[in-house]
Amino acid sequence: MTAPALIFEDVSYFYADKTRGLDRVGFSVMPGECIALCGRNGSGKSTLLRHANGLARPSSGRVMVFGVCTKKDAVFARLAVGMVFADSSAQIVEERVYEDVAFGPENLNLPRPEVKRRVEKALDWTGLAPLAAKRTENLSSGEKRRLAIAGVLAMEPRVIVLDEPFSNLDWPGKTALLDELLRLKDLGTTLIVATHDVELVQGLCSRILIMDKGALIRDGGLAEFAAESQSLGLRPWGQTSRV
Ligand SMILES: Nc1ncnc2c1ncn2[C@@H]1O[C@H](COP(=O)(O)OP(=O)(O)O)[C@@H](O)[C@H]1O
Ligand SMILES: [Mg+2]
């Protein structure tokens, strides 16, 4: 039997100021699944994603990444689960595009040809190859998002979690990113995509997790909750959708 890529077991999390970020969240994700993560602002999506890659550790309960508890081995989680942050600029560390993508693999102490292979593949994948020598500070917001994704891809994680990756993108930027995610899905990458636009990811995600006040209030197929979308605070999707 295949083991889950991720398991959240009764996970609660409190920030330093005692704000409840997660409230007894439980779900599991099988390898190759693509999941939309939704909910109002402040419902806990970013907090949940930070738990998936070990950046945050539960106050109670536990998170397992391919069978390894993030409290026991956060480094394993960080390597297995790549995270694309909501603020792409915060993820950019180097002056030039190529070096920025190389930063992660270089820190893995991989042999130089392997770093080169990964960087070139990630740049090709995200369409950034022509911009390899460009200064990162001069990229457009869409290009910065692609760069953040290229940096994650170069780490070759088995799971990628993306925090509102479609925000601040124009329509061509959104469709290009969607195509990229569909290609990753076809390759078997497990994806969790936090988004306010379920309609947009309908072809990508077959399952949706809906959060409210830190709790996971719905978990199922997209069609199951389409009729409730507005009462759940979400933009309608599926056949009931309106512009
Ligand atoms: N660093 C922080 N310190 C205190 N509270 C925080 C912090 N980050 C987020 N929160 C709170 O945790 C809750 C969940 O936030 P978040 O995970 O960012 O939600 P979402 O991503 O769905 O908008 C909110 O009530 C938010 O105010
Ligand atoms: Mg957020």
Side-chain angles (χ1 to χ4, degrees):
M1 206 184 78
T2 322
L6 281 177
I7 306 177
F8 276 60
E9 275 176 17
D10 208 22
V11 175
S12 292
Y13 181 74
F14 294 90
Y15 282 98
D17 66 1
K18 304 217 167 45
T19 306
R20 188 195 292 273
L22 294 177
D23 184 7
R24 306 198 64 175
V25 170
F27 66 96
S28 61
V29 178
M30 295 308 287
E33 272 196 284
C34 290
I35 300 177
L37 175 63
C38 300
R40 294 176 166 89
N41 287 334
S43 59
K45 302 180 295 298
S46 300
T47 308
L48 184 150
L49 295 182
R50 282 200 291 273
H51 276 76
N53 86 335
L55 211 57
R57 257 66 67 75
S59 305
S60 64
R62 59 178 190 165
V63 175
M64 309 289 283
V65 176
F66 293 104
V68 179
C69 179
T70 58
K71 279 184 189 165
K72 297 216 171 88
D73 194 343
V75 174
F76 177 84
R78 236 161 278 178
L79 291 176
V81 183
M83 171 137 175
V84 177
F85 290 86
D87 176 9
S88 302
S89 303
Q91 208 157 355
I92 296 172
V93 289
E94 294 282 349
E95 229 173 81
R96 305 276 170 181
V97 168
Y98 188 100
E99 281 70 38
D100 191 69
V101 179
F103 179 82
E106 274 169 358
N107 276 294
L108 294 177
N109 289 322
L110 295 169
R112 198 173 283 267
E114 174 63 8
V115 172
K116 186 166 179 286
R117 183 192 70 78
R118 288 188 180 205
V119 174
E120 286 173 359
K121 192 170 148 201
L123 289 173
D124 272 346
W125 189 274
T126 50
L128 285 176
L131 305 181
K134 204 171 160 87
R135 292 181 73 85
T136 51
E137 64 188 10
N138 295 334
L139 297 176
S140 72
S141 58
E143 289 162 351
K144 281 184 182 159
R145 179 70 43 75
R146 275 148 65 196
L147 178 57
I149 294 172
V152 168
L153 289 178
M155 299 296 281
E156 303 193 344
R158 284 192 276 173
V159 180
I160 301 180
V161 300
L162 302 101
D163 199 351
E164 303 197 21
F166 297 103
S167 65
N168 303 322
L169 294 186
D170 57 14
W171 182 246
K174 283 184 185 175
T175 52
L177 174 56
L178 199 55
D179 278 350
E180 234 169 74
L181 296 178
L182 282 164
R183 280 188 284 144
L184 287 173
K185 175 187 179 173
D186 286 344
L187 291 176
T189 309
T190 309
L191 299 171
I192 304 181
V193 186
T195 181
H196 289 290
D197 195 344
V198 182
E199 181 97 56
L200 186 66
V201 296
Q202 274 187 113
L204 176 72
C205 304
S206 48
R207 178 177 166 199
I208 183 169
L209 302 178
I210 303 176
M211 302 195 65
D212 187 39
K213 300 187 186 82
L216 180 59
I217 56 165
R218 297 287 187 282
D219 175 359
L222 255 60
E224 279 179 56
F225 313 124
E228 299 182 84
S229 57
Q230 274 173 314
S231 60
L232 295 169
L234 303 172
R235 185 182 169 202
W237 68 88
Q239 302 204 324
T240 58
S241 91
R242 272 165 271 154
V243 178

